[in-house]
C-alpha cells in the first residue's frame, strides 16, 4: 500500500541530513543516550521529522532509562504503522510513520513499566521533531 507521502529516495536524501536519512529511510538506530530528546520533559507534540505528521505527545513520554525517548502510546493509533521485524536475529515490532513510511523505532510490550499500556515505543530522537506547547 503506498504511503500518503511517497517520495523517491534521492529526494529524501536531499531533504534530510545524512544522519536523519540513515535512521528514517534505512531503519538505522541512533546510539543510546545520544539523542536530543532522550530526557526531554518539555510539554509538546512530537512530529515525524521526515513529513511532519503528529506522532506522539509529551503526556505519554516516560522515563524508561533505555537510552531513547520512550512513549507508552502514540497520539493516535493510526499515526503509526507496526511491522514485524526479523532483522538482527530477533523478532521485534518496527514502528513507522503511517503517513510517509519512515522508520521511527520499535515497540516492546510486557516489560513491566508502570504505564497504562505496558508498552514502550522506543523511538529515535532524530526521527522526531518536538514542537513545544505554547501557553
Ligand atoms: Zn512521516
Amino acid at each position: 500500500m503506498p504511503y500518503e507521502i511517497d517520495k523517491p529516495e534521492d529526494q529524501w536524501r536531499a531533504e534530510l541530513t545524512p544522519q536523519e536519512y540513515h535512521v528514517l529511510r534505512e531503519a538505522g538506530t541512533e546510539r543510546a543516550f545520544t539523542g536530543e530528546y532522550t530526557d526531554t520533559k518539555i510539554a509538546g507534540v512530537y512530529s515525524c521529522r521526515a513529513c511532519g505528521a503528529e506522532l506522539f505527545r509529551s503526556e505519554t513520554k516516560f522515563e524508561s532509562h533505555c537510552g531513547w525517548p520512550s512513549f507508552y502510546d502514540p497520539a493516535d493509533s493510526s499515526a503509526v504503522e507496526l511491522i514485524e521485524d526479523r532483522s538482527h536475529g530477533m523478532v521485534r515490532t518496527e514502528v513507522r510513520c503511517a503517513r510517509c513510511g519512515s522508520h521511527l523505532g520499535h515497540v516492546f510490550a510486557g516489560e513491566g513499566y508502570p504505564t497504562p499500556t505496558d508498552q514502550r515505543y522506543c523511538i529515535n530522537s532524530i526521527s522526531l521533531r518536538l514542537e513545544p506547547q505554547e501557553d
Side-chain angles (χ1 to χ4, degrees):
M1 199 177 70
Y3 294 103
E4 184 187 332
I5 306 250
D6 189 15
K7 299 181 190 179
E9 285 305 314
D10 52 346
Q11 193 178 336
W12 284 123
R13 206 185 289 271
E15 290 177 3
L16 301 168
T17 69
Q19 292 86 348
E20 289 168 352
Y21 184 85
H22 175 63
V23 173
L24 286 158
R25 306 303 307 173
E26 299 179 325
T29 301
E30 67 192 7
R31 282 189 297 132
F33 300 103
T34 63
E36 63 180 299
Y37 300 135
T38 304
D39 295 314
T40 302
K41 294 184 181 68
I42 297 167
V45 170
Y46 289 88
S47 303
C48 174
R49 195 172 292 199
C51 79
E54 179 179 324
L55 299 173
F56 296 96
R57 289 170 178 275
S58 55
E59 297 88 80
T60 64
K61 193 170 188 291
F62 68 100
E63 290 187 67
S64 65
H65 307 286
C66 74
W68 292 275
S70 300
F71 304 86
Y72 62 75
D73 211 17
D76 182 329
S77 59
S78 64
V80 295
E81 180 183 29
L82 305 180
I83 293 169
E84 188 180 84
D85 174 9
R86 292 181 170 269
S87 65
H88 303 293
M90 296 175 269
V91 181
R92 295 179 295 172
T93 304
E94 182 190 356
V95 184
R96 289 189 193 172
C97 172
R99 188 148 162 245
C100 72
S102 290
H103 175 79
L104 305 172
H106 289 88
V107 60
F108 303 90
E111 297 176 310
Y113 285 105
T115 59
T117 62
D118 201 5
Q119 287 187 314
R120 174 169 62 96
Y121 285 78
C122 181
I123 306 298
N124 293 285
S125 294
I126 205 166
S127 298
L128 301 172
R129 180 158 281 128
L130 172 61
E131 291 151 34
Q133 222 157 46
E134 303 192 16
D135 53 10

